[in-house]
Amino acid sequence: LKLAVPSLNFAAPPRGCALETPMAEEDQCPPGPRVDVVRIELTPPAECAFEEAFGLVMEFSTDTPLVDHCWRLSYTVDTSKRRKILDLGATEAASYPPGAHSMSYYLPRFDVAGVPDDIKSQVNGMLSAVLTGPAGEEVMTVNMVTQVCVRDGALVRYIFNPLD
């Protein structure tokens, strides 16, 4: 399901409501935790070399205790033959009681050598941060559109902040 808020690109999970749902729609949320993302900081915030370090900080709140949950990150592209998903790792598992929280993820560099050519040749991709429970259940997903291209002979990337 996608949110009705046109300026955001968040996928609502089967078990909970995604962020900033208008008040009239709150009664329509499926049962499960409600997680609201209020701030996303991407590092670097602008176009950069593809292999440059990547940092993500998200501030969010939950109305339900989330025990031993982590944020799993992946990069997805649709090639001419099939969808390909690169696992980028995960944060350490943490317990989030009801209230405000912050998560951070840092990748020292994207290894260009490990990325297949058919993925590098796709201009548009999706970087996803999935809040995942201890049994692998997906609580919510934050999707960030990513553009990859060759500029001046070098592979560059730009990740769009969905809250901007």
Side-chain angles (χ1 to χ4, degrees), residues 41-59:
E41 180 182 323
L42 298 167
T43 305
E47 184 177 279
C48 65
F50 182 84
E51 64 274 358
E52 191 169 325
F54 167 71
L56 170 66
V57 174
M58 282 195 293
E59 293 177 3

Side-chain angles (χ1 to χ4, degrees), residues 50-155:
F50 182 84
E51 64 274 358
E52 191 169 325
F54 167 71
L56 170 66
V57 174
M58 282 195 293
E59 293 177 3
F60 63 97
S61 64
T62 178
D63 65 347
T64 306
L66 301 171
V67 178
D68 294 331
H69 282 59
C70 68
W71 290 89
R72 297 203 53 78
L73 280 88
S74 64
Y75 180 67
T76 304
V77 296
D78 290 322
T79 67
S80 60
K81 296 181 181 174
R82 64 181 189 177
R83 173 168 285 174
K84 294 194 175 180
I85 301 171
L86 297 175
D87 182 14
L88 301 177
T91 63
E92 294 290 324
S95 293
Y96 302 107
H101 302 281
S102 178
M103 68 76 76
S104 63
Y105 175 82
Y106 181 75
L107 187 64
R109 74 185 295 271
F110 280 98
D111 184 8
V112 178
V115 178
D117 288 338
D118 59 343
I119 291 179
K120 288 190 280 192
S121 67
Q122 298 301 311
V123 174
N124 295 312
M126 187 71 67
L127 178 67
S128 298
V130 182
L131 181 58
T132 307
E137 68 276 16
E138 295 182 0
V139 177
M140 84 166 288
T141 299
V142 178
N143 289 319
M144 294 161 269
V145 173
T146 304
Q147 290 185 335
V148 176
C149 66
V150 176
R151 191 170 323 283
D152 299 324
L155 195 61

Side-chain angles (χ1 to χ4, degrees), residues 2 33 35 37 42 111 159 163:
K2 293 237 183 206
V35 177
V37 174
L42 298 167
D111 184 8
I159 302 170
L163 294 182

